[in-house]
Amino acid sequence: EILEIGKLDKQLHKENNYAIYNTVGQLIENGILNTKHQTIKTKLNAGVYVVKVSEDNRNYTTRVILNGK
C-alpha cells in the first residue's frame, strides 16, 4: 500500500519523522517521510490507522482507512 500523507492538509517543508499507530495505540511502523512525494510505502493489513507526522515541534495527525486488495 502507498499512503498519501498529503491528506494532512498541511504542506510540509523538509524530511520529517512519521509514525503509524493501530486503533489501540500500538506503534506499527515509523520512519522518515520524504516531503517531495508525501507518500509512505508500507505493507499494512486492511484496517484503520493513525498517521502522525512531526515537523519541528508540531505534530500533524490523520486517520487512514485501508480496505485491502
Side-chain angles (χ1 to χ4, degrees), residues 5-69:
I5 302 305
K7 294 177 182 174
L8 289 172
D9 296 328
K10 169 70 178 162
Q11 184 64 36
L12 302 173
H13 301 290
K14 59 182 181 177
E15 290 185 346
N16 298 285
N17 294 321
Y18 75 88
I20 301 174
Y21 300 91
N22 64 14
T23 55
V24 294
Q26 293 174 311
L27 177 64
I28 302 298
E29 180 178 322
N30 61 3
I32 296 189
L33 174 64
N34 178 341
T35 58
K36 181 177 180 181
H37 299 104
Q38 292 193 19
T39 59
I40 300 171
K41 290 184 181 179
T42 185
K43 295 184 179 187
L44 296 174
N45 294 324
V48 178
Y49 299 91
V50 173
V51 179
K52 178 175 84 170
V53 177
S54 301
E55 179 181 43
D56 298 325
N57 292 325
R58 296 174 297 228
N59 293 318
Y60 304 97
T61 59
T62 188
R63 183 178 61 168
V64 176
I65 300 172
L66 298 179
N67 294 323
K69 297 178 181 180

